[in-house]
Amino acid sequence: MLNPWRLRLLSRLDTLGTVRAVAQDANLSASSVSQQLAVLEAETRTQLLERTGRRVRLTPAGLMLARRARVILDHMDTVEAELRSLGEEPVGLVRLGAFQSAIHTLAVPAVTRLAHPHLEVQLLELEPHESIPALRGGDADVIITTTDFVELPLGPDLDIVPLATDPIVLVTPPEAPRGPAVLSAYADAAWALDMPQSYMANLTLRLCRESGFEPRVVCRFSNYLMTLQHVEAGLSIALLPGLAVDPRYRVATRELATPVTRTIVAVTRRGSPPRAAVNVVLEALRQPPDLPEWATLRPSP
């Protein structure tokens, strides 16, 4: 009989890539992880791992079992929830991942609206380049992300629930001109960017290059508040989603002359057994939040 804990270790190896990373994630020693995976091989009577130099990798059989293990573990989580609830009451843990600007505008209001005594929602700050692999790897149950992150497309293995659209705006010091912004006019400006390979960093580079210039990057921040502070001080300009612009900072925002928006969606794994807890979280996310006047979120049709 397959041991769920060992299956989880194998699934984590598929996601994280190394035994050492799995050991750190599970708070175990690398030797303990290797030992448990060896026991799993004995239980299945199948070679699941092969050594290449100083590393191990999954065999085709190991890769198949690791991918199926995620489905098996999802089923077990569902059964546990059903046994505890003995009905339709949402119970258990739902891990909700959301990008930074959606945490306070979408995720927190949705969780606040939930009033189920046996439901726990764990919020995870995950940008699109992090949340999509986390969902596929089983580290998140629901994510708020964008369909516009072309580097990590949302494929047929995922179910998508449209939530809203949000414009991309040019953020400048407060004394900047008003009206729609033409990016080519800012070819000589100092730019603040998100971290490399993130959604906003890639989008900024693409839009600037389409406008005929390479932005002069003077800083990179993974936190939008730090970006706003830098822009407020007159040290840079930036492209940000409208939801990321906090009104506490004295900055000017201008929509682009050629408008760009991102589509905000909630995403779950397709094929996972339906869970009442996940469904009520999705339903809460579908309800329009009460946003302050500065927010520019536009409901999806």
Side-chain angles (χ1 to χ4, degrees):
M1 183 174 295
L2 296 176
N3 181 287
W5 181 53
R6 296 185 188 111
L7 285 177
R8 196 175 299 276
L9 292 177
L10 188 72
S11 175
R12 300 302 293 145
L13 180 60
D14 178 35
T15 301
L16 298 176
T18 67
V19 170
R20 183 179 298 276
V22 174
Q24 291 175 343
D25 182 67
N27 198 25
L28 297 169
S29 66
S31 60
S32 295
V33 172
S34 297
Q35 183 181 24
Q36 292 303 315
L37 293 175
V39 173
L40 183 59
E41 285 188 309
E43 290 175 337
T44 59
R45 300 184 180 88
T46 305
Q47 183 181 356
L48 304 175
L49 307 171
E50 59 185 1
R51 185 169 294 278
T52 57
R54 302 181 64 180
R55 297 168 62 91
V56 297
R57 66 179 183 184
L58 296 173
T59 64
L63 186 61
M64 181 275 290
L65 182 58
R67 302 286 168 83
R68 295 289 181 87
R70 185 65 261 158
V71 178
I72 293 169
L73 294 168
D74 281 342
H75 274 285
M76 294 185 68
D77 289 342
T78 301
V79 171
E80 283 189 10
E82 290 175 350
L83 287 174
R84 289 200 305 270
S85 65
L86 295 177
E88 297 301 321
E89 179 69 18
V91 297
L93 173 67
V94 175
R95 295 159 298 176
L96 171 59
F99 50 78
Q100 187 180 149
S101 58
I103 290 284
H104 65 281
T105 53
L106 298 175
V108 169
V111 174
T112 302
R113 287 192 289 268
L114 296 172
H116 299 280
H118 303 296
L119 172 64
E120 178 184 356
V121 180
Q122 182 183 76
L123 285 179
L124 309 169
E125 183 184 330
L126 298 171
E127 293 301 309
H129 67 286
E130 302 167 319
S131 64
I132 297 171
L135 179 66
R136 286 189 166 124
D139 293 324
D141 302 300
V142 184
I143 61 171
I144 302 173
T145 186
T146 175
T147 59
D148 306 304
F149 189 46
V150 295
E151 289 81 357
L152 281 174
L154 301 175
D157 58 322
L158 302 174
D159 283 321
I160 300 172
V161 178
L163 298 179
T165 58
D166 185 31
I168 303 301
V169 297
L170 181 69
V171 184
T172 64
E175 64 275 6
R178 301 293 177 176
V182 178
L183 282 186
S184 58
Y186 294 89
D188 296 327
W191 286 80
L193 263 64
D194 204 331
M195 304 308 290
Q197 302 308 313
S198 65
Y199 167 71
M200 278 310 305
N202 290 355
L203 179 62
T204 299
L205 289 174
R206 177 170 64 82
L207 293 178
C208 290
R209 288 166 181 169
E210 289 175 354
S211 298
F213 69 96
E214 189 73 17
R216 180 167 59 89
V217 180
V218 297
C219 60
R220 287 184 180 270
F221 299 117
S222 61
N223 187 298
Y224 289 150
L225 299 185
M226 295 176 67
T227 300
L228 291 168
Q229 185 178 26
H230 202 263
V231 172
E232 181 184 50
L235 300 175
S236 63
I237 64 173
L239 286 176
L240 291 179
L243 284 181
V245 182
D246 191 308
R248 291 174 296 180
Y249 294 87
R250 294 183 62 255
V251 296
T253 59
R254 301 172 65 192
E255 292 200 19
L256 303 181
T258 302
V260 177
T261 61
R262 61 174 179 174
T263 301
I264 301 174
V265 295
V267 186
T268 59
R269 290 189 301 278
R270 178 168 295 178
S272 297
R275 290 177 55 198
V278 170
N279 290 338
V280 298
V281 171
L282 286 174
E283 188 57 38
L285 288 171
R286 289 191 187 101
Q287 300 176 32
D290 295 324
L291 296 178
E293 293 180 359
W294 55 268
T296 48
L297 188 68
R298 296 165 182 161
S300 292

